[in-house]
Amino acid sequence: MAVPRTSEVARQNARSVNERVLEAAAVGAVGAALGAGAGTIVGLSGPAAAVAATNGAISGFRQIYEWTSRKGRVAFVLDSTWALVTTAASLVPQLVGMLTPGEYDESLSKRSNRHVYRRGFVVRRNFAVTVGNVVSGAGDTSNESRRRLVSDHEDVHVWQSRIMGPFFPIVYLGWMAIMAPVAVAGWLRRRIAGDRSSSLWVAIDRRAYWQHPLEQQAYLRASRASQARSG
């Protein structure tokens, strides 16, 4: 007698959940060990282990790490050690995405070494934001241009934060903190001279965001990827 299709689907779903739970437990445990080791260096083994375990459990359940490639294994180790500061920060948009209609996009997350939310934690309207290994505000990812924004631009920020580790937020936010008053001073000089071609916000945005070296690197990567597809 043939097994009803609904029963087969139910078994497959149960098997998938079991696999996710096992991966979450394993990745969380290994992450905790790596985090504790890294945290010992600065006397924060407990908090470091907790952050790495939390990231490991969530990421394991969602199966984001590409274990079959060295890139995926390196991503996990960095997230659990050198990049623990940004991994800890990523738990904030992770929580926002879980507690609000964040619309998690598994198609852009599973085995891609990152978490992607279509909505969730958003700093600026129509702009995606990346914190650690979490991309939020990706928008309508059924649109190919938004999918490419994640894979070609935001993914660069994910790896910038992994490679730069604790220096990433210092460099990223530091540039903005320095360039914002520089932009204001320049705008005031032009204003006094009679130039009213741009608003104060545009002047700050140009200096602090669009001319940011880390943003320019991401936009350059996206531009090259676009050229490669069209060429």
Side-chain angles (χ1 to χ4, degrees):
M1 181 176 179
V3 178
R5 183 176 178 82
T6 54
S7 298
E8 180 62 27
V9 170
R11 275 201 293 269
Q12 290 176 353
N13 289 339
R15 189 181 307 118
S16 175
V17 170
N18 290 337
E19 290 174 354
R20 287 173 179 269
V21 170
L22 288 174
E23 185 166 341
V27 179
V30 176
L34 290 171
T40 300
I41 299 173
V42 291
L44 294 171
S45 60
V51 168
T54 303
N55 172 72
I58 296 172
S59 300
F61 187 80
R62 288 177 167 171
Q63 300 180 320
I64 72 159
Y65 292 114
E66 187 183 11
W67 301 115
T68 57
S69 73
R70 183 166 64 177
K71 183 178 181 180
R73 296 189 293 272
V74 168
F76 168 61
V77 172
L78 288 176
D79 285 348
S80 305
T81 54
W82 172 243
L84 266 174
V85 170
T86 51
T87 298
S90 75
L91 297 181
V92 173
Q94 194 76 269
L95 183 63
V96 172
M98 291 177 179
L99 296 180
T100 65
E103 298 183 14
Y104 188 76
D105 190 328
E106 185 169 15
S107 69
L108 284 170
S109 305
K110 188 173 182 179
R111 303 307 180 204
S112 297
N113 307 310
R114 64 185 178 236
H115 299 271
V116 180
Y117 289 92
R118 298 183 187 92
R119 298 171 64 184
F121 179 75
V122 176
V123 176
R124 185 175 177 182
R125 188 178 180 183
N126 296 325
F127 278 70
V129 59
T130 297
V131 181
N133 58 22
V134 178
V135 179
S136 301
D140 180 10
T141 51
S142 64
N143 186 315
E144 187 61 26
S145 65
R146 298 303 291 186
R147 298 182 71 83
R148 289 173 180 173
L149 169 69
V150 172
S151 60
D152 297 345
H153 182 101
E154 298 303 327
D155 196 62
V156 174
H157 292 318
V158 172
W159 280 95
Q160 285 172 340
S161 67
R162 283 178 175 142
I163 294 169
M164 297 176 69
F167 296 105
F168 178 80
I170 296 173
V171 172
Y172 196 94
L173 298 177
W175 173 275
M176 289 186 159
I178 293 171
M179 288 299 115
V182 169
V184 171
W187 179 82
L188 285 173
R189 283 197 302 269
R190 292 191 298 273
R191 196 79 170 176
I192 293 171
D195 182 358
R196 288 172 169 73
S197 60
S198 66
S199 67
L200 177 58
W201 165 247
V202 169
I204 294 174
D205 193 37
R206 183 185 301 116
R207 280 277 193 173
Y209 176 77
W210 294 104
Q211 294 180 4
H212 199 303
L214 296 179
E215 287 296 341
Q216 289 192 336
Q217 181 185 20
Y219 280 109
L220 178 61
R221 154 74 183 280
S223 175
R224 288 175 174 172
S226 177
Q227 291 174 4
R229 282 190 292 268
S230 63

